[in-house]
């Protein structure tokens, strides 16, 4: 069994990255939805 590497970033940093990626994806999805909504109303 392999031991985890010692240079692994701390948990808070990995969670911050996950939250940032989640927020960016939700924002991008919202922008695309808003564009489609405006396009369908025009």
């Amino acid at each position: 069994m392999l031991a985890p590497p010692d240079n692994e970033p701390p948990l808070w940093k990995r969670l911050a990255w996950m939250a940032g990626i989640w927020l960016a994806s939700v924002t991008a999805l919202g922008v695309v939805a808003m564009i489609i909504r405006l396009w369908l109303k025009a």
Side-chain angles (χ1 to χ4, degrees):
M1 187 169 187
L2 295 174
D6 290 339
N7 57 358
E8 188 172 285
L11 178 63
W12 68 267
K13 204 170 194 177
R14 289 183 282 157
L15 288 175
W17 268 106
M18 186 187 74
I21 291 170
W22 173 81
L23 185 62
S25 63
V26 168
T27 302
L29 184 62
V31 169
V32 169
M34 188 177 295
I35 290 171
I36 291 173
R37 188 175 178 180
L38 290 174
W39 181 49
L40 289 176
K41 282 189 174 183

